[in-house]
Amino acid sequence: MKTIILILFLLLNNNLLIIKSCPTYPNPIKLNQNERLLIEAYNQIDELIQNNMKLNNVTSFIATIVYMDEIVWSKTYGTLNPLDDKSPPLTIDNNIKIASLTKVFTSLMMYQLRDNGEILSLDDKISNYFPKFKINDIYKFKSSSGSSSGSGKSKSDLKDNSITFRQLASHQSGLPREVPCDSITYGTKNCTENIIFERLSKQFTLLRQYSEVHYSNLGFALLGRILGEIISNSTNNNNNNNNNNNNNNNNNNNNNNNNNNNNNNNNNNNNNNNNNNNNNNNNNNNKIKTNHLNSGSSSSSEQLQYENYILNNILKPLNMMNTTFNYDDIDSNNLALGYEILKNGTFEIVQRQNSGWNSPAGGLYSTARDISKFMIFWLNNGIISNNNNNNNNNNNNNNNNNNNNNNNNNNNNNFIVKESTINEALLPVSLISDGLTAYGTPFEMWYDQQNNIWLKSKAGIANAYRTQMALIPPLKLGMFFSSQFVFDTPDLFTREASQILIPVYEYLLNKQQQQQEEEQYEVQQQQQQQNNIKLLSNDIFIGNYLNEFGSIFNIFIDNSTGLLYCNFGNGFVYLISDFDDNYNFPHIKRISLLDPKQHICWPIVDGANEELIYFIFNDDVDDNRNSIFCTGVQVLGQFLYKN
């Protein structure tokens, strides 16, 4: 009886996750943004935003949508000063505080340093790089004292040294949520690194590492400061190497004539000046104002390594030149102001504030246009768009001439990080028990059951600003919404907006993709004929392939289409296609599960889908292909021969 009741409850529960098939998505290609369906979808999103603004007392709001490599829709609502009707209207170029979206930049810096070899592994203990951070861990003490060898443990054994980079970036370090300072003291002498660490040394972790997700601004602030110290140590090592190289160059120059000596000395002086400027990141074009960030800090130059690195290695390559950690860099006439409701029901503008030591967790100011560039970067596998490349050419030339710092290595190839790293950074680390929510490093992910697709998001809340960046990577769609008033919302309407966008984009892409595939097939056939490529007849592949161990591989043809199919003697049918469009490898084919939407995900990810098959011919393949016949095949590591 209990079982029946449970089944009925689950069937009636609207939140029940039922996976009927494994979803597949069309490949993103350029679409005509004047399509009637797209215009209607954007109008619906406009209406959605306005209705929700009225419901939540929001008077100023910014929204942008990107697709592939461009902004396809944007709209602003209200004024720079939401409490002043005469204030200028908002634009997507007005500065706002993006708050915790900063964490995505901090995480990206972590991945860069890992890729560049500054960090050996994201699973390294942070104590190996930053030994001055200490916090107590009662769980470590309990587990040790529970064993026979744990007797005689002292309080000094409570100090935790096992937290890793990945745990910090995925909110699974067990650290408390906030930096142990009043937020009003951030960036002042009352909240320096020494004060923070002294307080933390007397506190405890909340949870075991990797036991559950616990959101931690402290963890991300700590992560950023550790990364900054790694950069500081690396820069010092580079400076020492440069000094040694310069000394060697000076010794070698003594063998040259006087004119060469003079020229080399001048060049060395110029190089030394340029190296000093680059190592300190104090060029006029690169400088970050530090009057507030330095306030009261005994190690401000070390702490600013993080901010300067983000500027030079992420913001500049992406041409995000209106993004900064310091509000003094911002024209006060360009800053969109946030407001709050006081207890007496009146509204008040919230004062601006820098984040100080806490900046890696939420200190960036940016614009909707700049964040659109950031979304485009994530949606295009980390490739810097052409619009950004032109602005970087001069910077790259200067760096090549003036700087031996290896932190900019990726810029030369128009990549900030490797494509595989982008894929890694978008993966979940922990699935929450509702089965629909996951956390990554640091993306907050939600599974859209209506459209069977994951949204990779990041929310920001601080100083009366509420922001949300939502990415839909398979479709190369991204949304950035920003409110100048904080209210209770899990996603700032991005989920509802995505449920309007996704069906329209998928419909248009599937339609366009079918037309494009037909055109590409015709072009491919023409190219093969022009290049006098003699295609192997599909007939030579047809047959049953066996081996002595009882394995079966069957290849057959659809006479109506001429397409080849195969199976392994079971119910799964695969389409056989050319491995290489140019037909350079005629003996290699690819097999893809036929109509994957009819299957659950298991046979797609855990079967033969997308495997390569290697055919064995009676002789080497050459231009005389009429005499060739197939004798066997290698598939899934096995050799099978035609029966």
Side-chain angles (χ1 to χ4, degrees):
M1 184 65 183
K2 290 182 178 179
T3 303
I4 296 174
I5 293 174
L6 177 60
I7 292 173
L8 289 173
F9 171 77
L10 291 174
L11 291 173
L12 293 172
N13 185 356
N14 291 329
N15 294 323
L16 177 63
L17 176 62
I18 301 175
I19 300 178
K20 298 179 181 178
S21 64
C22 197
T24 59
Y25 314 105
N27 293 324
I29 53 179
K30 287 291 184 181
L31 293 175
N32 179 5
Q33 290 297 319
N34 292 319
E35 282 272 2
R36 177 183 57 84
L37 290 176
L38 285 175
I39 293 173
E40 289 178 356
Y42 299 144
N43 288 338
Q44 288 180 47
I45 291 172
D46 179 17
E47 184 179 355
L48 166 73
I49 291 172
Q50 293 191 58
N51 289 339
N52 278 287
M53 287 175 64
K54 291 177 184 178
L55 288 173
N56 293 284
N57 293 315
V58 177
T59 59
S60 294
F61 197 91
I62 301 173
T64 60
I65 298 173
V66 301
Y67 173 62
M68 295 187 72
D69 60 354
E70 62 180 338
I71 298 174
V72 293
W73 182 83
S74 66
K75 188 166 182 179
T76 58
Y77 309 79
T79 59
L80 279 173
N81 184 340
L83 305 185
D84 182 3
D85 293 336
K86 297 179 180 179
S87 176
L90 275 174
T91 75
I92 63 172
D93 294 307
N94 289 130
N95 289 101
I96 51 177
K97 190 162 189 176
I98 62 171
S100 283
L101 266 68
T102 308
K103 291 179 173 70
V104 184
F105 294 83
T106 303
S107 179
L108 183 56
M109 178 182 178
M110 174 187 74
Y111 280 108
Q112 281 185 321
L113 297 189
R114 191 278 309 275
D115 286 355
N116 290 338
E118 303 289 350
I119 298 171
L120 297 180
S121 168
L122 299 188
D123 298 309
D124 282 351
K125 296 178 181 179
I126 61 173
S127 58
N128 297 339
Y129 301 80
F130 203 71
K132 57 185 173 182
F133 169 73
K134 302 288 183 183
I135 191 169
N136 297 299
D137 184 356
I138 191 65
Y139 301 103
K140 178 182 176 183
F141 182 74
K142 285 181 177 179
S143 61
S144 297
S145 60
S147 64
S148 58
S149 59
S151 58
K153 291 285 182 181
S154 65
K155 288 186 177 181
S156 62
D157 295 309
L158 292 171
K159 299 299 180 187
D160 179 69
N161 291 304
S162 61
I163 295 173
T164 68
F165 290 98
R166 197 186 308 274
Q167 289 167 358
L168 289 176
S170 60
H171 299 292
Q172 297 191 90
S173 64
L175 288 175
R177 179 181 172 87
E178 303 297 345
V179 171
C181 295
D182 293 329
S183 60
I184 198 172
T185 66
Y186 288 170
T188 72
K189 63 181 180 181
N190 295 319
C191 190
T192 64
E193 184 169 271
N194 289 338
I195 290 174
I196 292 168
F197 284 178
E198 191 275 332
R199 290 173 179 172
L200 289 174
S201 69
K202 300 174 183 177
Q203 296 183 9
F204 286 82
T205 54
L206 308 179
L207 303 160
R208 299 179 189 272
Q209 282 81 51
Y210 278 135
S211 62
E212 61 182 274
V213 173
H214 182 80
Y215 195 93
S216 177
N217 289 317
L218 167 62
F220 254 91
L222 176 63
L223 175 61
R225 296 310 170 191
I226 296 171
L227 299 176
E229 180 142 313
I230 291 172
I231 289 298
S232 179
N233 294 336
S234 176
T235 301
N236 291 335
N237 292 334
N238 286 334
N239 286 341
N240 292 333
N241 292 333
N242 288 336
N243 290 334
N244 291 333
N245 290 335
N246 285 335
N247 290 334
N248 291 333
N249 288 335
N250 289 333
N251 291 333
N252 292 333
N253 286 338
N254 290 332
N255 296 324
N256 297 328
N257 58 40
N258 290 333
N259 289 334
N260 286 337
N261 281 339
N262 291 333
N263 290 333
N264 286 333
N265 287 335
N266 289 333
N267 288 336
N268 282 335
N269 289 334
N270 289 334
N271 286 335
N272 287 334
N273 291 333
N274 288 332
N275 280 334
N276 289 334
N277 286 335
N278 277 313
N279 289 331
N280 293 321
N281 292 315
N282 285 328
N283 288 329
N284 291 332
N285 291 332
N286 300 347
K287 187 174 181 180
I288 294 179
K289 294 180 182 180
T290 59
N291 51 324
H292 286 272
L293 290 169
N294 287 341
S295 178
S297 174
S298 60
S299 57
S300 58
S301 62
E302 291 182 5
Q303 289 187 19
L304 283 173
Q305 287 289 345
Y306 162 82
E307 285 84 352
N308 287 332
Y309 182 96
I310 295 291
L311 173 72
N312 287 299
N313 295 274
I314 298 177
L315 300 182
K316 280 196 168 184
L318 293 177
N319 195 28
M320 297 177 65
M321 302 312 294
N322 292 312
T323 302
T324 179
F325 282 98
N326 197 296
Y327 62 71
D328 285 336
D329 291 344
I330 302 169
D331 182 351
S332 60
N333 295 321
N334 196 60
L335 181 65
L337 302 176
Y339 66 97
E340 63 183 355
I341 300 178
L342 302 180
K343 292 181 179 179
N344 60 10
T346 61
F347 296 91
E348 181 180 76
I349 295 296
V350 175
Q351 297 300 310
R352 297 177 296 173
Q353 183 184 6
N354 272 322
S355 299
W357 192 86
N358 200 46
S359 283
L364 274 174
Y365 290 83
S366 189
T367 68
R369 191 182 301 277
D370 270 9
I371 296 301
S372 294
K373 296 174 184 178
F374 195 50
M375 291 192 291
I376 289 169
F377 157 78
W378 281 100
L379 294 170
N380 289 275
N381 301 320
I383 300 174
I384 301 174
S385 68
N386 292 330
N387 293 333
N388 296 334
N389 287 340
N390 294 331
N391 294 316
N392 286 327
N393 287 337
N394 292 332
N395 290 337
N396 284 337
N397 290 334
N398 291 334
N399 287 334
N400 290 335
N401 292 330
N402 302 335
N403 194 357
N404 288 324
N405 192 336
N406 60 9
N407 296 326
N408 293 320
N409 286 343
N410 288 324
N411 293 348
N412 296 330
N413 295 322
N414 296 329
F415 282 85
I416 291 181
V417 291
K418 297 181 291 187
E419 179 180 347
S420 59
T421 299
I422 290 290
N423 295 334
E424 177 186 1
L426 288 169
L427 288 174
V429 175
S430 177
L431 182 67
I432 307 304
S433 55
D434 63 6
L436 300 172
T437 310
Y439 277 79
T441 55
F443 287 101
E444 300 144 8
M445 308 176 189
W446 173 72
Y447 190 73
D448 177 356
Q449 291 179 269
Q450 177 177 313
N451 295 293
N452 291 326
I453 199 166
W454 282 96
L455 270 68
K456 311 295 176 75
S457 300
K458 188 68 195 80
I461 307 172
N463 302 112
Y465 295 94
R466 176 67 173 88
T467 58
Q468 189 87 20
M469 180 177 76
L471 305 176
I472 311 170
L475 301 179
K476 292 193 175 183
L477 272 170
M479 294 170 285
F480 175 70
F481 290 178
S482 174
S483 167
Q484 288 158 245
F485 173 69
V486 174
F487 58 97
D488 187 17
T489 170
D491 55 83
L492 202 61
F493 328 140
T494 54
R495 294 182 186 179
E496 291 176 85
S498 71
Q499 291 180 335
I500 295 172
L501 281 177
I502 292 170
V504 174
Y505 267 86
E506 286 195 328
Y507 171 78
L508 292 174
L509 286 173
N510 281 319
K511 180 181 176 182
Q512 190 88 352
Q513 189 171 313
Q514 183 177 358
Q515 295 175 353
Q516 193 177 65
E517 287 175 353
E518 292 174 357
E519 293 172 359
Q520 287 177 345
Y521 178 77
E522 292 179 2
V523 171
Q524 182 181 341
Q525 294 295 312
Q526 292 173 2
Q527 289 177 344
Q528 290 173 346
Q529 291 175 5
Q530 290 172 0
N531 296 331
N532 294 320
I533 296 176
K534 294 184 179 180
L535 303 181
L536 292 173
S537 170
N538 280 344
D539 292 336
I540 70 171
F541 301 108
I542 298 171
N544 300 320
Y545 297 79
L546 309 170
N547 66 13
E548 58 184 305
F549 305 108
S551 299
I552 301 173
F553 186 63
N554 303 315
I555 297 180
F556 52 95
I557 193 169
D558 183 340
N559 292 322
S560 64
T561 63
L563 296 176
L564 286 177
Y565 298 93
C566 66
N567 64 36
F568 292 86
N570 53 29
F572 296 114
V573 178
Y574 299 83
L575 172 67
I576 299 178
S577 59
D578 290 334
F579 168 63
D580 174 31
D581 291 339
N582 295 321
Y583 217 66
N584 293 317
F585 304 93
H587 67 293
I588 305 176
K589 303 285 186 181
R590 183 186 297 277
I591 61 175
S592 305
L593 191 62
L594 185 64
D595 199 4
K597 290 185 178 181
Q598 299 300 317
H599 302 279
I600 61 174
C601 289
W602 171 78
I604 295 176
V605 301
D606 195 23
N609 188 50
E610 300 302 331
E611 283 285 330
L612 298 180
I613 53 179
Y614 300 83
F615 288 96
I616 304 168
F617 299 109
N618 63 311
D619 198 359
D620 291 336
V621 176
D622 54 23
D623 288 337
N624 185 23
R625 293 179 176 172
N626 294 327
S627 61
I628 295 173
F629 58 90
C630 183
T631 60
V633 64
Q634 181 186 358
V635 58
L636 294 178
Q638 299 184 79
F639 288 92
L640 299 95
Y641 298 93
K642 186 178 283 188
N643 187 10

